[in-house]
Amino acid sequence: MPTNEKEINNVLFDQLSIVERLDKAQKRGEYEQESESIRKEIERKLYQKPPLVNE
């Protein structure tokens, strides 16, 4: 969960970038391929292990 305004803005910019990529792909007729590519990128981010923190 984002904890400050900068993190929230980063999340929103990422979402906006995804929408822009999908719009461009739709105009080229490559929506399905781009959609699958974005899905894989998101899944990699979701399932990565968080960094270990030394305490």
Side-chain angles (χ1 to χ4, degrees):
M1 236 18 233
T3 58
N4 61 43
E5 186 176 353
K6 184 176 180 179
E7 290 179 7
I8 291 170
N9 285 343
N10 286 338
V11 170
L12 293 174
F13 279 121
D14 285 344
Q15 292 175 343
L16 182 57
S17 294
I18 290 170
V19 171
E20 290 171 346
R21 285 174 61 186
L22 290 173
D23 285 345
K24 288 177 186 177
Q26 185 176 21
K27 289 177 185 175
R28 292 189 313 262
E30 300 172 357
Y31 181 83
E32 296 296 325
Q33 297 91 337
E34 188 70 20
S35 174
E36 185 61 31
S37 174
I38 290 171
R39 178 181 307 279
K40 289 178 182 178
E41 289 175 20
I42 292 171
E43 287 175 351
R44 277 195 305 272
K45 290 178 184 178
L46 283 174
Y47 298 117
Q48 71 179 356
K49 294 182 180 180
L52 297 175
V53 178
N54 292 330
E55 293 184 23

